[in-house]
Structure formats: C-alpha cells, structure tokens
Coordinates of all heavy atoms in Angstrom, one line a residue:
E17 N 0.9 -1.2 0.0 CA -0.1 0.0 0.0 C 0.9 1.2 0.0 O 1.9 1.3 0.7 CB -0.9 0.0 1.2 CG -1.9 1.1 1.2 CD -2.8 1.0 2.3 OE1 -3.5 -0.2 2.4 OE2 -3.1 1.8 3.1
E18 N 0.5 2.3 -0.8 CA 1.3 3.5 -0.9 C 1.1 4.4 0.3 O 0.1 4.5 0.9 CB 0.8 4.2 -2.2 CG 1.7 5.3 -2.6 CD 1.2 5.8 -3.9 OE1 0.0 5.6 -4.3 OE2 2.0 6.5 -4.5
E19 N 2.3 4.9 0.8 CA 2.3 5.7 2.0 C 1.7 7.1 1.6 O 2.1 7.8 0.6 CB 3.7 5.9 2.5 CG 3.9 6.9 3.6 CD 5.3 7.1 3.9 OE1 6.2 6.8 3.2 OE2 5.5 7.6 5.1
L20 N 0.8 7.6 2.4 CA 0.2 8.9 2.3 C 0.9 9.8 3.3 O 1.1 9.4 4.4 CB -1.3 8.8 2.4 CG -2.1 8.0 1.3 CD1 -3.5 8.0 1.7 CD2 -1.8 8.5 -0.1
L21 N 1.1 11.0 2.8 CA 1.8 12.0 3.7 C 1.0 13.2 4.1 O 0.1 13.7 3.4 CB 3.0 12.5 2.8 CG 3.9 11.4 2.3 CD1 4.8 12.0 1.2 CD2 4.6 10.6 3.2
A22 N 1.3 13.7 5.3 CA 0.9 15.0 5.7 C 1.5 16.1 4.9 O 2.7 16.0 4.5 CB 1.0 15.2 7.2
P23 N 0.9 17.3 4.8 CA 1.5 18.4 4.0 C 2.9 18.8 4.6 O 3.8 19.0 3.9 CB 0.5 19.4 4.2 CG -0.8 18.8 4.3 CD -0.6 17.5 5.1
E24 N 3.0 18.7 6.0 CA 4.3 19.1 6.6 C 5.3 18.1 6.2 O 6.5 18.5 6.0 CB 4.1 19.1 8.1 CG 3.1 20.2 8.6 CD 1.6 19.7 8.5 OE1 1.3 18.6 8.2 OE2 0.8 20.6 8.8
E25 N 5.0 16.8 6.0 CA 6.0 15.9 5.6 C 6.5 16.0 4.2 O 7.6 15.9 3.8 CB 5.5 14.4 5.9 CG 6.4 13.3 5.3 CD 7.8 13.3 6.1 OE1 7.9 13.9 7.2 OE2 8.7 12.6 5.6
V26 N 5.5 16.5 3.3 CA 5.8 16.7 1.9 C 6.8 17.9 1.8 O 7.8 17.8 1.2 CB 4.6 17.0 1.1 CG1 4.9 17.4 -0.3 CG2 3.6 15.8 1.0
L27 N 6.5 18.9 2.6 CA 7.4 20.1 2.6 C 8.8 19.7 3.1 O 9.8 20.2 2.6 CB 6.7 21.2 3.4 CG 5.6 21.9 2.8 CD1 4.9 22.8 3.8 CD2 6.0 22.8 1.5
R28 N 8.8 18.9 4.2 CA 10.1 18.5 4.7 C 10.9 17.7 3.8 O 12.1 17.9 3.6 CB 9.8 17.6 6.0 CG 11.2 17.2 6.7 CD 10.9 16.2 7.7 NE 10.7 14.9 7.2 CZ 11.7 14.2 6.6 NH1 12.9 14.5 6.6 NH2 11.5 12.9 6.2
R29 N 10.2 16.9 3.0 CA 10.9 16.0 1.9 C 11.5 16.9 0.8 O 12.5 16.7 0.3 CB 10.0 15.0 1.3 CG 9.8 13.9 2.4 CD 9.0 12.7 1.8 NE 8.8 11.7 3.0 CZ 8.4 10.5 2.7 NH1 8.0 10.1 1.5 NH2 8.2 9.6 3.7
F30 N 10.7 17.9 0.5 CA 11.2 18.9 -0.5 C 12.5 19.5 0.0 O 13.6 19.6 -0.8 CB 10.2 20.0 -0.9 CG 9.2 19.6 -1.9 CD1 7.9 19.7 -1.6 CD2 9.6 19.4 -3.2 CE1 6.9 19.3 -2.6 CE2 8.7 19.1 -4.2 CZ 7.3 19.1 -3.9
R31 N 12.5 20.0 1.2 CA 13.7 20.6 1.8 C 14.9 19.6 1.8 O 16.0 20.0 1.5 CB 13.4 21.2 3.2 CG 12.6 22.4 3.2 CD 12.6 23.0 4.6 NE 12.0 22.2 5.6 CZ 10.8 22.0 5.9 NH1 9.9 22.8 5.2 NH2 10.3 21.2 6.8
V32 N 14.7 18.4 2.3 CA 15.7 17.4 2.4 C 16.3 17.1 1.2 O 17.5 16.9 1.0 CB 15.2 16.1 3.2 CG1 16.1 15.0 3.1 CG2 14.8 16.5 4.6
N33 N 15.5 17.0 0.1 CA 15.9 16.6 -1.3 C 16.5 17.8 -2.0 O 17.0 17.6 -3.2 CB 14.8 15.9 -2.0 CG 14.4 14.6 -1.4 OD1 15.3 13.9 -0.9 ND2 13.1 14.3 -1.5
G34 N 16.4 19.0 -1.5 CA 16.9 20.2 -2.2 C 16.1 20.6 -3.4 O 16.6 21.2 -4.3
T35 N 14.8 20.2 -3.4 CA 13.9 20.5 -4.5 C 13.0 21.6 -4.2 O 12.5 21.6 -3.0 CB 13.1 19.3 -5.0 OG1 13.9 18.2 -5.2 CG2 12.2 19.5 -6.1
S36 N 12.8 22.6 -5.0 CA 11.9 23.6 -4.6 C 10.4 23.2 -5.1 O 10.2 22.5 -6.0 CB 12.2 24.9 -5.3 OG 11.9 24.8 -6.7
V37 N 9.5 23.7 -4.3 CA 8.1 23.4 -4.7 C 7.8 24.0 -6.0 O 7.1 23.4 -6.8 CB 7.2 24.1 -3.6 CG1 5.7 23.9 -4.0 CG2 7.3 23.3 -2.2
S38 N 8.3 25.2 -6.3 CA 8.0 25.9 -7.5 C 8.6 25.0 -8.8 O 7.9 24.9 -9.7 CB 8.7 27.3 -7.6 OG 8.1 28.2 -6.8
R39 N 9.8 24.6 -8.6 CA 10.4 23.7 -9.7 C 9.5 22.5 -9.9 O 9.3 22.1 -11.0 CB 11.8 23.3 -9.4 CG 12.5 22.6 -10.4 CD 13.9 22.3 -10.1 NE 14.4 21.5 -11.2 CZ 15.7 21.6 -11.6 NH1 16.6 22.3 -10.9 NH2 16.2 20.8 -12.5
W40 N 9.1 21.8 -8.8 CA 8.3 20.6 -8.9 C 7.1 20.9 -9.7 O 6.6 20.1 -10.6 CB 8.1 20.1 -7.5 CG 7.3 18.7 -7.5 CD1 7.8 17.5 -7.5 CD2 5.8 18.6 -7.5 NE1 6.7 16.6 -7.5 CE2 5.5 17.3 -7.5 CE3 4.7 19.5 -7.5 CZ2 4.2 16.8 -7.6 CZ3 3.4 19.1 -7.6 CH2 3.1 17.8 -7.6
A41 N 6.4 22.0 -9.3 CA 5.2 22.4 -9.9 C 5.3 22.6 -11.5 O 4.5 22.1 -12.3 CB 4.6 23.6 -9.2
V42 N 6.3 23.5 -11.8 CA 6.5 23.8 -13.2 C 6.8 22.6 -14.1 O 6.3 22.4 -15.1 CB 7.6 24.9 -13.3 CG1 8.1 25.1 -14.8 CG2 7.1 26.2 -12.6
E43 N 7.7 21.6 -13.5 CA 8.0 20.5 -14.1 C 6.9 19.6 -14.5 O 6.8 18.8 -15.4 CB 9.1 19.7 -13.5 CG 10.4 20.3 -13.4 CD 11.4 19.5 -12.6 OE1 11.0 18.6 -11.8 OE2 12.6 19.9 -12.6
R44 N 5.7 19.7 -13.7 CA 4.6 18.9 -13.9 C 3.4 19.7 -14.5 O 2.3 19.1 -14.6 CB 4.2 18.2 -12.5 CG 5.2 17.2 -12.2 CD 5.3 16.9 -10.7 NE 6.2 15.8 -10.4 CZ 7.5 16.0 -10.4 NH1 8.0 17.2 -10.5 NH2 8.3 15.0 -10.1
G45 N 3.6 20.9 -14.8 CA 2.6 21.7 -15.5 C 1.5 22.3 -14.5 O 0.5 22.7 -15.0
Y46 N 2.0 22.4 -13.3 CA 1.0 23.0 -12.3 C 1.5 24.4 -11.9 O 2.7 24.8 -12.0 CB 1.1 22.3 -11.0 CG 0.5 20.8 -11.1 CD1 1.3 19.7 -10.6 CD2 -0.7 20.5 -11.7 CE1 0.8 18.4 -10.7 CE2 -1.1 19.2 -11.8 CZ -0.4 18.2 -11.3 OH -0.8 16.9 -11.4
S47 N 0.5 25.2 -11.5 CA 0.9 26.5 -11.0 C 1.6 26.4 -9.6 O 1.0 25.8 -8.8 CB -0.4 27.4 -10.8 OG -0.2 28.4 -9.9
P48 N 2.8 27.0 -9.5 CA 3.4 27.0 -8.2 C 2.5 27.6 -7.0 O 2.5 27.0 -5.9 CB 4.6 27.9 -8.4 CG 5.0 27.7 -9.8 CD 3.6 27.6 -10.5
A49 N 1.7 28.6 -7.3 CA 0.9 29.2 -6.3 C -0.2 28.2 -6.0 O -0.5 28.1 -4.7 CB 0.3 30.5 -6.9
L50 N -0.8 27.5 -6.8 CA -1.7 26.4 -6.5 C -1.2 25.3 -5.7 O -1.8 24.9 -4.8 CB -2.4 25.9 -7.8 CG -3.6 25.0 -7.6 CD1 -4.7 25.6 -6.7 CD2 -4.2 24.6 -8.9
V51 N 0.0 24.9 -6.0 CA 0.7 23.8 -5.2 C 0.9 24.3 -3.8 O 0.7 23.6 -2.9 CB 2.1 23.4 -5.9 CG1 2.8 22.4 -5.0 CG2 1.7 22.8 -7.3
Y52 N 1.4 25.6 -3.6 CA 1.6 26.1 -2.3 C 0.3 26.2 -1.6 O 0.2 25.9 -0.4 CB 2.2 27.5 -2.4 CG 3.8 27.4 -2.5 CD1 4.4 27.8 -3.6 CD2 4.6 27.0 -1.4 CE1 5.8 27.8 -3.7 CE2 5.9 27.0 -1.5 CZ 6.5 27.4 -2.7 OH 7.9 27.4 -2.8
A53 N -0.8 26.6 -2.3 CA -2.1 26.6 -1.6 C -2.5 25.2 -1.1 O -3.1 25.1 0.0 CB -3.1 27.3 -2.5
V54 N -2.3 24.2 -1.9 CA -2.7 22.9 -1.5 C -1.9 22.5 -0.3 O -2.4 21.9 0.7 CB -2.4 21.8 -2.7 CG1 -2.5 20.5 -2.2 CG2 -3.4 22.1 -3.8
L55 N -0.5 22.8 -0.3 CA 0.4 22.3 0.8 C 0.1 23.2 2.1 O 0.2 22.7 3.2 CB 1.8 22.5 0.4 CG 2.3 21.4 -0.6 CD1 3.7 21.8 -1.1 CD2 2.3 20.1 0.1
K56 N -0.4 24.4 1.9 CA -0.7 25.2 3.1 C -2.2 25.0 3.5 O -2.7 25.8 4.4 CB -0.4 26.7 2.8 CG 1.1 27.0 2.5 CD 1.9 26.6 3.7 CE 3.4 27.0 3.3 NZ 4.3 26.7 4.4
R57 N -2.9 24.1 3.0 CA -4.2 23.7 3.4 C -5.2 24.8 2.9 O -6.2 25.0 3.7 CB -4.4 23.3 4.8 CG -3.5 22.2 5.1 CD -3.5 21.9 6.5 NE -2.5 20.7 6.8 CZ -2.4 20.1 7.9 NH1 -3.1 20.5 9.0 NH2 -1.6 19.1 8.0
G58 N -4.9 25.6 1.9 CA -5.8 26.7 1.6 C -6.8 26.3 0.5 O -7.6 27.0 0.0
R59 N -6.7 25.0 0.1 CA -7.6 24.4 -0.9 C -8.3 23.1 -0.4 O -7.7 22.4 0.4 CB -6.9 24.1 -2.2 CG -6.1 25.2 -2.8 CD -7.0 26.2 -3.4 NE -7.7 25.7 -4.5 CZ -8.3 26.5 -5.4 NH1 -8.1 27.7 -5.5 NH2 -8.9 25.9 -6.5
K60 N -9.5 22.9 -0.9 CA -10.2 21.7 -0.4 C -9.7 20.4 -1.1 O -9.8 19.3 -0.5 CB -11.7 21.8 -0.8 CG -12.3 22.8 0.1 CD -13.8 23.0 -0.2 CE -14.5 24.0 0.6 NZ -15.9 24.1 0.3
C61 N -9.1 20.5 -2.3 CA -8.6 19.3 -3.0 C -9.6 18.2 -3.3 O -9.2 17.0 -3.3 CB -7.4 18.7 -2.2 SG -6.2 19.9 -1.6
L62 N -10.8 18.6 -3.5 CA -11.8 17.6 -3.7 C -12.0 17.3 -5.2 O -12.4 16.2 -5.5 CB -13.2 18.1 -3.2 CG -13.3 18.3 -1.7 CD1 -14.6 18.9 -1.3 CD2 -12.9 17.0 -1.0
R63 N -11.5 18.1 -6.1 CA -11.6 17.8 -7.5 C -10.7 18.8 -8.3 O -10.1 19.7 -7.7 CB -13.1 18.0 -8.1 CG -13.6 19.3 -7.8 CD -15.1 19.4 -8.2 NE -15.8 20.6 -7.7 CZ -16.2 20.8 -6.5 NH1 -16.1 19.8 -5.6 NH2 -16.8 21.9 -6.0
G64 N -10.7 18.6 -9.5 CA -9.9 19.4 -10.5 C -8.4 19.4 -10.2 O -7.8 18.4 -9.7
Q65 N -7.6 20.4 -10.5 CA -6.2 20.4 -10.5 C -5.7 20.4 -9.0 O -4.7 19.8 -8.8 CB -5.7 21.7 -11.2 CG -4.4 21.5 -11.7 CD -3.9 22.7 -12.6 OE1 -4.1 23.8 -12.3 NE2 -3.3 22.4 -13.7
S66 N -6.5 21.0 -8.0 CA -6.0 20.8 -6.7 C -6.0 19.4 -6.2 O -5.1 19.0 -5.6 CB -7.0 21.7 -5.8 OG -7.0 23.0 -6.0
H67 N -7.1 18.7 -6.7 CA -7.0 17.2 -6.3 C -5.9 16.4 -7.0 O -5.3 15.7 -6.4 CB -8.4 16.7 -6.6 CG -8.5 15.2 -6.3 ND1 -8.7 14.7 -5.0 CD2 -8.3 14.1 -7.1 CE1 -8.7 13.4 -5.0 NE2 -8.5 13.0 -6.2
A68 N -5.7 16.8 -8.2 CA -4.6 16.2 -9.0 C -3.3 16.5 -8.3 O -2.3 15.5 -8.3 CB -4.6 16.6 -10.5
I69 N -3.1 17.7 -7.8 CA -1.8 18.0 -7.2 C -1.7 17.2 -5.9 O -0.6 16.7 -5.6 CB -1.8 19.5 -6.9 CG1 -1.6 20.3 -8.1 CG2 -0.6 19.9 -5.9 CD1 -1.9 21.8 -8.1
A70 N -2.7 17.2 -5.1 CA -2.7 16.3 -3.8 C -2.4 14.9 -4.1 O -1.6 14.3 -3.4 CB -4.0 16.5 -3.1
V71 N -2.9 14.3 -5.1 CA -2.6 12.9 -5.4 C -1.2 12.8 -5.9 O -0.5 11.9 -5.4 CB -3.6 12.5 -6.5 CG1 -3.2 11.1 -7.1 CG2 -5.1 12.4 -6.0
A72 N -0.7 13.7 -6.7 CA 0.7 13.6 -7.2 C 1.7 13.8 -6.0 O 2.8 13.2 -6.0 CB 0.9 14.7 -8.2
L73 N 1.3 14.5 -5.0 CA 2.2 14.7 -3.8 C 2.0 13.6 -2.8 O 2.6 13.6 -1.8 CB 1.9 16.0 -3.2 CG 2.3 17.3 -4.0 CD1 1.8 18.6 -3.3 CD2 3.8 17.4 -4.1
K74 N 1.0 12.7 -3.1 CA 0.7 11.6 -2.2 C 0.3 12.1 -0.8 O 0.6 11.6 0.2 CB 1.9 10.6 -2.0 CG 2.3 10.0 -3.3 CD 3.5 9.1 -3.1 CE 3.9 8.6 -4.5 NZ 5.3 8.1 -4.4
L75 N -0.6 13.3 -0.9 CA -1.1 13.8 0.4 C -2.2 13.0 0.9 O -3.0 12.5 0.3 CB -1.6 15.2 0.1 CG -0.7 16.4 -0.1 CD1 -1.4 17.7 -0.4 CD2 0.2 16.5 1.2
N76 N -2.2 12.8 2.3 CA -3.2 12.2 2.9 C -4.3 13.2 3.2 O -4.2 14.1 4.1 CB -2.8 11.6 4.3 CG -3.8 10.8 5.0 OD1 -5.0 10.9 4.7 ND2 -3.4 10.1 6.0
L77 N -5.3 13.3 2.3 CA -6.3 14.3 2.3 C -7.2 14.3 3.6 O -7.7 15.3 4.0 CB -7.2 14.2 1.1 CG -6.6 14.3 -0.3 CD1 -7.6 14.2 -1.4 CD2 -5.9 15.7 -0.4
A78 N -7.3 13.1 4.3 CA -8.0 13.1 5.5 C -7.3 13.9 6.6 O -8.0 14.2 7.5 CB -8.2 11.6 5.9
Q79 N -6.1 14.1 6.4 CA -5.3 15.0 7.4 C -5.5 16.4 7.3 O -5.0 17.2 8.1 CB -3.9 14.5 7.5 CG -3.6 13.1 8.1 CD -2.1 12.9 8.2 OE1 -1.3 13.7 7.9 NE2 -1.8 11.7 8.6
T80 N -5.9 16.8 6.1 CA -6.1 18.3 5.9 C -7.4 18.8 6.4 O -8.5 18.3 6.2 CB -5.9 18.6 4.4 OG1 -7.0 18.1 3.7 CG2 -4.6 18.2 3.9
R81 N -7.3 19.9 7.2 CA -8.5 20.4 7.9 C -9.6 20.8 6.9 O -10.8 20.5 7.1 CB -8.1 21.6 8.7 CG -9.3 22.3 9.4 CD -8.9 23.6 10.1 NE -8.1 24.5 9.2 CZ -8.7 25.4 8.3 NH1 -10.0 25.3 8.1 NH2 -7.9 26.1 7.6
L82 N -9.3 21.4 5.7 CA -10.3 21.8 4.9 C -11.0 20.7 4.2 O -12.2 20.7 4.0 CB -9.7 22.7 3.7 CG -9.3 24.1 4.2 CD1 -8.6 24.8 3.0 CD2 -10.5 24.9 4.6
C83 N -10.3 19.6 4.0 CA -10.9 18.4 3.4 C -11.8 17.7 4.4 O -12.9 17.3 4.0 CB -9.9 17.4 2.9 SG -9.0 18.1 1.4
R84 N -11.3 17.7 5.6 CA -12.2 17.1 6.7 C -13.5 17.9 6.9 O -14.6 17.3 6.9 CB -11.5 17.0 8.0 CG -10.7 15.8 8.2 CD -10.3 15.6 9.7 NE -9.9 16.8 10.3 CZ -8.7 17.3 10.5 NH1 -7.7 16.6 10.0 NH2 -8.5 18.4 11.2
D85 N -13.3 19.2 6.9 CA -14.5 20.1 7.1 C -15.5 19.9 5.9 O -16.7 19.9 6.1 CB -14.1 21.6 7.1 CG -13.3 21.9 8.5 OD1 -13.3 21.0 9.4 OD2 -12.8 22.9 8.6
A86 N -15.0 19.8 4.7 CA -15.9 19.7 3.5 C -16.6 18.4 3.5 O -17.8 18.3 3.3 CB -15.1 19.8 2.2
V87 N -16.0 17.3 3.9 CA -16.7 16.0 4.1 C -17.8 16.1 5.2 O -18.9 15.6 4.9 CB -15.7 14.9 4.3 CG1 -16.3 13.6 4.7 CG2 -14.8 14.7 3.1
T88 N -17.3 16.7 6.3 CA -18.3 16.8 7.4 C -19.6 17.7 7.0 O -20.7 17.3 7.2 CB -17.7 17.5 8.6 OG1 -16.6 16.7 9.0 CG2 -18.6 17.7 9.7
R89 N -19.4 18.7 6.2 CA -20.5 19.5 5.7 C -21.4 18.7 4.8 O -22.6 19.0 4.8 CB -20.0 20.8 5.1 CG -19.6 21.9 6.0 CD -19.4 23.2 5.3 NE -18.4 23.1 4.3 CZ -17.1 23.3 4.4 NH1 -16.6 23.5 5.6 NH2 -16.3 23.3 3.4
K90 N -20.8 17.9 4.0 CA -21.7 17.1 3.1 C -22.4 16.0 3.8 O -23.2 15.3 3.3 CB -20.7 16.4 2.0 CG -20.2 17.4 1.0 CD -19.4 16.7 0.0 CE -19.0 17.7 -1.1 NZ -18.3 17.0 -2.2
G91 N -22.2 15.9 5.1 CA -22.9 14.9 5.9 C -22.5 13.5 5.8 O -23.1 12.5 6.2
T92 N -21.2 13.2 5.2 CA -20.8 11.9 5.0 C -19.8 11.4 6.0 O -19.5 10.3 6.2 CB -20.0 11.7 3.6 OG1 -19.0 12.7 3.6 CG2 -21.0 11.9 2.5
A93 N -19.3 12.3 6.9 CA -18.4 12.0 8.0 C -19.2 11.6 9.2 O -20.3 12.2 9.5 CB -17.4 13.1 8.3
R94 N -18.6 10.8 10.1 CA -19.3 10.5 11.3 C -19.2 11.6 12.3 O -18.3 12.3 12.3 CB -18.6 9.2 12.0 CG -18.9 8.0 11.2 CD -18.2 6.8 11.9 NE -18.4 5.7 11.1 CZ -18.3 4.5 11.6 NH1 -18.0 4.3 12.9 NH2 -18.5 3.4 10.8
K95 N -20.2 11.8 13.1 CA -20.2 12.8 14.1 C -19.8 12.3 15.5 O -19.9 11.1 15.7 CB -21.6 13.5 14.2 CG -22.0 14.1 12.9 CD -23.4 14.8 13.1 CE -23.7 15.4 11.7 NZ -24.8 16.2 11.7

C-alpha cells in the first residue's frame, strides 16, 4: 500500500531533497501558487487540479482540515 503524507512531511521532503516546490510544480505543469495553496491547506482538494496536485504529492487528504470540514459539511463523515 502506498504511503500517504501530511502536508508538513511533503514540505520536509522537498527541503531534504533540495527540490523547490516551484520547480516541482512547473516540471509537472502546475501553477506554483496552486501547489503552495494545496500544501498550506488553503484548498479543499476535492476535484480538479487541486485534487490532482494532492494525489501527485501523495497527500493524505483526510489529514487536511479543509478536506475534513468539507466532508463533514456534506454529511458523509461520522459525528
């Protein structure tokens, strides 16, 4: 099973590997600003390019506050 990461771990791995988020984004055709928004939990990541970025980064979407809140509002999360 593939390991899913918290946004903080993704950022740490970028630092350790000496890769910039901007370079990673541009190499994959994403907007650097959008990638930063995903990593800083400013996007819901439920569909579209934000979701594609989250998947490419192997983000654990359940750990992001905005995604949890969105699922709860839809009534699909347990109370």
Side-chain angles (χ1 to χ4, degrees):
E17 187 171 305
E18 194 170 19
E19 179 185 14
L20 297 177
L21 308 169
E24 296 81 6
E25 177 62 17
V26 173
L27 288 168
R28 187 191 73 75
R29 289 184 180 194
F30 275 120
R31 283 190 302 274
V32 168
N33 293 326
T35 305
S36 75
V37 173
S38 293
R39 181 177 179 151
W40 182 92
V42 170
E43 287 175 351
R44 287 158 180 80
Y46 299 126
S47 157
L50 187 55
V51 174
Y52 277 110
V54 168
L55 287 169
K56 299 295 183 179
R57 302 176 182 188
R59 303 290 295 201
K60 291 182 183 177
C61 311
L62 298 176
R63 62 185 164 277
Q65 214 172 37
S66 295
H67 181 76
I69 290 167
V71 170
L73 291 170
K74 299 178 184 165
L75 283 178
N76 184 345
L77 298 178
Q79 290 187 359
T80 65
R81 179 185 51 78
L82 287 174
C83 290
R84 271 198 320 266
D85 291 350
V87 170
T88 301
R89 280 194 301 276
K90 287 184 178 183
T92 58
R94 292 183 183 201
K95 295 184 180 186

